Amino acid sequence: MEYSLFRALTQLGDDSLILGQRLCEWCGHGPTIEVDLGLSNLALDLIGQATMLLDYAGELEGGGRDADALAFHRNAEQFANCLLAEQPNGDFARTVVRHLLFATYASALYEALTASPDARLAEIAAKAVKELRYHADFAADWAERLGDGTEESRARMAEALDWHWRFVNDLFHDDRDWAACAARGLVPLRQSLRYGFERDVSAILERAGLALPRKVWPIVGGRSGQHSEHLSVLLATMQVLPRAHPEAVW
Amino acid sequence: MYTTELGKVSPLQDGAQEDPERLAAFETRVAADEFVEPKDWMPQAYRRTLVRQISQHAHSEIVGMLPEGNWLTRAPSLQRKAILLAKIQDEGGHGLYLYCAAETLGTSREEMIDALHSGRAKYSTIFNYPTLNWADIGAIGWLVDGAAIMNQVPLQRTSYGPYARAMVRICKEESFHQRQGYDLLLALAKGTAAQKAMSQDALNRWWWPALMMFGPPDEDSPNSAQSIRWRIKRETNDQLRQKFVDATVPQAELLGLTIPDPDLNWNEQRGHYDFGAIEWDEFYAVVRGEGPTAKERITARRDAWANGAWVREAAAAFEAKRAARVAA
């Protein structure tokens, strides 16, 4: 039974890790210094969350793996992050929309996880939820600014929404392991958060003068290791040193 | 991270056009180690020299994010990744305070950034060297930030108040960065043969550029005397360089690394290390923008600025609309 919780924790940890890794790519290249520093803050929070979640996953697994072993020594198909997290940064609008969708989902999820009967998970969630609420606000503020800024920024936001919307179903997918944990009351079903998510995102987009995209054929598979083309490239970069020097301590 | 004075100005020439009484009063104040504040009268040349120095320092912080950022996505542990991210973020923060300090002298951030992108303003030559292996991240913290601290500690007492105050916080953070770099190299020193080789390779490549960071030898540094008189600088390039060598050699020994200088020797009589000749031709070439990664660095900055233009325009348009709504 602990296997399900191990899998659920890697889903959570991998989301944070892979999105954090993506945000690292912005460092030094942001549209202003302030935004650059802001994106680094988001990345730092996510990498901190990933470390706590994956360390806990490794302990539960009982095979001597810690967060680093899980982060640097698994292949793409063993990663359980949502497809949204691994999508390339694109322009700043795509980064903002990716973060808006992710953080709106994750802040509601972690809010619920603070009440988990698993004390360690509840403790991690209590720290993470404060960070993720800020992430959701940061993304919502930028969504509003860009949606209601210039013609160009509005067009880029509409394109970015259209780009990412196909991955939303995957974000809310309850796979067998997650559902098993939900049945034990350790985590909420993601589907139970979907209504609130659409309500919150719609409200933000309305303030930004943007609309929810129409329903599209969903692209799914992240939780079961069926990723997009981008993940293995991201991992090739991220894992290069530990893979080249497996015996080294850094 | 810090640059030493690189641009060419002639601060002495236009001193003649200043009101001699005001100039004398100013010189007396500065000589008494009083702080000059933004609204105080100051000679034009003092203002210009400061804008040049502070903006070069700010540009160096921002460009300096790039060589370290090069390894951020490849940091070999989650902890090292978080540390490096926070460290680079500090450098960006330094850039921000320094632009603000320079703005108090009447030059806008946009003007300064434009000067950087057009090549009129310089940044520290050190960032035009590549980061080729993970140990370079340690070497930058240890040597580059270490050299920066030597340069910057005296600037906490520099005569221009906003610059001096910015430097107090910057120095605290840089000293943390230096320990961070050294800690990274200590881990490699305890590691595998390949990790030790990375460290030695990094030291071999960064040692001489780090010594060049203090600027040309005193006899070729024409503005130093005036800058020292104005308390914009407090020690000469060669004094600072010597201090750096003396402090760093024992640290290299502790890491089990060899300084790539066959002429390095402890001089009992002087109480200092003697060291070999610096290749100043290389320094001047790098200052001219001919360093190994000069084109990559400035192109990355120009691209970031150009690609972000629509974001800045959108934010400004949104603010204007919001202000109009509030006023209505």
Side-chain angles (χ1 to χ4, degrees):
Chain A
M1 206 48 168
E2 287 308 338
Y3 180 74
S4 297
L5 185 54
F6 165 78
R7 290 287 303 167
L9 288 166
T10 56
Q11 292 176 16
L12 295 171
D14 290 349
D15 279 357
S16 297
L17 173 63
I18 300 302
L19 186 56
Q21 172 74 5
R22 276 289 181 229
L23 290 174
C24 285
E25 295 169 12
W26 269 108
C27 183
H29 306 279
T32 65
I33 305 171
E34 288 84 347
V35 170
D36 212 303
L37 302 186
L39 293 173
S40 287
N41 271 335
L42 306 184
L44 271 170
D45 288 344
L46 290 165
I47 287 160
Q49 292 161 16
T51 306
M52 290 188 289
L53 290 159
L54 294 176
D55 270 336
Y56 183 27
E59 285 173 37
L60 275 184
E61 187 189 36
R65 291 201 284 184
D66 61 3
D68 283 336
L70 289 167
F72 296 103
H73 295 283
R74 279 181 300 155
N75 296 333
E77 69 277 9
Q78 295 164 315
F79 273 75
N81 58 282
C82 60
L83 297 175
L84 184 67
E86 72 202 37
Q87 296 311 308
N89 290 335
D91 65 1
F92 185 60
R94 277 201 200 162
T95 292
V96 164
V97 169
R98 186 183 62 195
H99 220 77
L100 176 71
L101 300 177
F102 179 79
T104 305
Y105 149 82
S107 55
L109 173 63
Y110 280 82
E111 182 83 55
L113 289 175
T114 59
S116 173
D118 184 288
R120 175 94 171 260
L121 178 55
E123 198 180 298
I124 295 171
K127 182 175 188 298
V129 72
K130 290 180 205 151
E131 297 165 347
L132 290 163
R133 277 192 209 121
Y134 171 77
H135 289 217
D137 287 348
F138 176 93
D141 284 352
W142 272 105
E144 197 178 341
R145 249 176 235 131
L146 298 177
D148 190 18
T150 61
E151 274 309 304
E152 181 181 4
S153 67
R154 184 194 163 75
R156 284 175 184 262
M157 282 297 285
E159 188 278 339
L161 270 166
D162 182 56
W163 185 268
H164 287 308
W165 196 249
R166 59 197 155 134
F167 302 118
V168 169
N169 266 34
D170 178 69
L171 188 61
F172 285 91
H173 179 62
D174 295 303
D175 73 324
R176 204 173 50 192
D177 294 313
W178 189 271
C181 292
R184 291 163 67 198
L186 297 176
V187 301
L189 278 174
R190 294 190 175 101
Q191 278 304 327
S192 71
L193 306 169
R194 180 89 190 239
Y195 174 80
F197 168 85
E198 297 219 359
R199 179 198 58 213
D200 292 349
V201 170
S202 299
I204 293 158
L205 294 181
E206 196 179 314
R207 279 205 301 280
L210 296 160
L212 274 188
R214 65 180 176 81
K215 269 202 162 63
V216 291
W217 181 258
I219 314 295
V220 294
R223 303 301 179 198
S224 55
Q226 304 282 313
H227 290 279
S228 59
E229 291 175 345
H230 308 295
L231 184 65
S232 64
V233 180
L234 176 149
L235 294 178
T237 302
M238 185 176 90
Q239 298 178 335
V240 61
L241 278 173
R243 293 288 187 120
H245 305 275
E247 72 293 2
V249 176
W250 304 94
Chain B
M1 168 37 262
Y2 174 63
T3 176
T4 190
E5 47 171 339
L6 302 165
K8 292 282 173 238
V9 294
S10 42
L12 296 171
Q13 283 169 4
D14 48 10
Q17 293 146 26
E18 303 284 3
D19 174 347
E21 271 180 40
R22 284 183 128 175
L23 189 59
F26 176 86
E27 300 270 2
T28 308
R29 265 185 80 189
V30 167
D33 278 337
E34 280 182 43
F35 282 125
V36 178
E37 295 299 337
K39 289 182 176 168
D40 295 348
W41 182 88
M42 62 188 85
Q44 281 309 313
Y46 175 85
R47 186 184 297 275
R48 268 217 325 271
T49 305
L50 272 172
V51 168
R52 180 177 58 97
Q53 182 170 329
I54 301 172
S55 66
Q56 281 177 180
H57 187 166
H59 299 325
S60 301
E61 300 282 2
I62 299 301
V63 176
M65 295 169 78
L66 297 170
E68 291 182 289
N70 180 38
W71 281 90
L72 191 49
T73 55
R74 289 174 290 166
S77 74
L78 296 179
Q79 191 190 23
R80 291 286 175 203
K81 192 187 291 291
I83 291 170
L84 181 58
L85 189 50
K87 194 264 187 197
I88 301 173
Q89 194 186 30
D90 281 352
E91 307 294 7
H94 299 171
L96 209 49
Y97 325 138
L98 288 163
Y99 282 127
C100 292
E103 280 186 312
T104 64
L105 291 158
T107 306
S108 72
R109 201 203 295 187
E110 285 69 23
E111 287 172 84
M112 290 183 267
I113 288 176
D114 185 58
L116 171 68
H117 293 174
S118 68
R120 279 176 285 129
K122 304 278 187 198
Y123 56 88
S124 184
T125 52
I126 198 84
F127 299 119
N128 287 336
Y129 289 90
T131 47
L132 300 181
N133 79 51
W134 172 248
D136 287 32
I137 300 307
I140 289 181
W142 172 40
L143 299 174
V144 175
D145 294 330
I149 293 166
M150 292 286 172
N151 268 321
Q152 288 170 359
V153 163
L155 290 176
Q156 296 177 92
R157 295 177 295 119
T158 193
S159 60
Y160 189 56
Y163 191 26
R165 288 187 289 271
M167 212 52 71
V168 171
R169 177 163 174 182
I170 290 174
C171 281
K172 282 186 190 152
E173 293 183 345
E174 293 295 359
S175 137
F176 188 69
H177 295 172
Q178 188 190 22
R179 278 179 285 159
Q180 169 273 144
Y182 198 72
D183 177 71
L184 190 161
L185 294 172
L186 272 176
L188 299 183
K190 292 181 208 142
T192 64
Q195 286 176 302
K196 288 174 188 161
M198 279 180 202
S199 291
Q200 186 62 54
D201 176 51
L203 176 60
N204 292 349
R205 285 179 288 106
W206 288 95
W207 174 253
W208 292 107
L211 294 193
M212 293 177 198
M213 281 176 68
F214 297 93
D218 292 346
E219 66 266 26
D220 298 326
S221 185
N223 302 333
S224 283
Q226 173 67 309
S227 284
I228 285 175
R229 199 153 58 90
W230 275 344
R231 306 292 197 262
I232 293 173
K233 274 176 90 155
R234 310 227 30 157
E235 286 173 77
T236 73
N237 297 351
D238 286 332
Q239 285 166 345
L240 290 167
R241 191 169 8 248
Q242 182 70 58
K243 235 188 206 182
F244 176 76
V245 171
D246 291 347
T248 308
V249 172
Q251 295 169 356
E253 285 166 4
L254 196 67
L255 290 171
L257 298 176
T258 308
I259 303 254
D261 178 0
D263 297 325
L264 187 81
N265 268 310
W266 176 252
N267 183 324
E268 195 66 55
Q269 207 172 7
R270 290 203 309 128
H272 291 293
Y273 281 94
D274 292 334
F275 52 95
I278 294 174
E279 278 196 43
W280 290 110
D281 287 349
E282 176 182 325
F283 171 78
Y284 288 113
V286 179
V287 169
R288 285 194 307 271
E290 296 167 22
T293 63
K295 289 194 190 301
E296 285 82 354
R297 300 285 184 251
I298 198 67
T299 303
R301 284 313 311 157
R302 284 185 191 136
D303 288 351
W305 194 246
N307 294 337
W310 69 271
V311 178
R312 297 190 301 276
E313 283 158 19
F318 177 80
E319 271 314 303
K321 285 187 208 176
R322 196 168 67 164
R325 277 197 292 270
V326 170

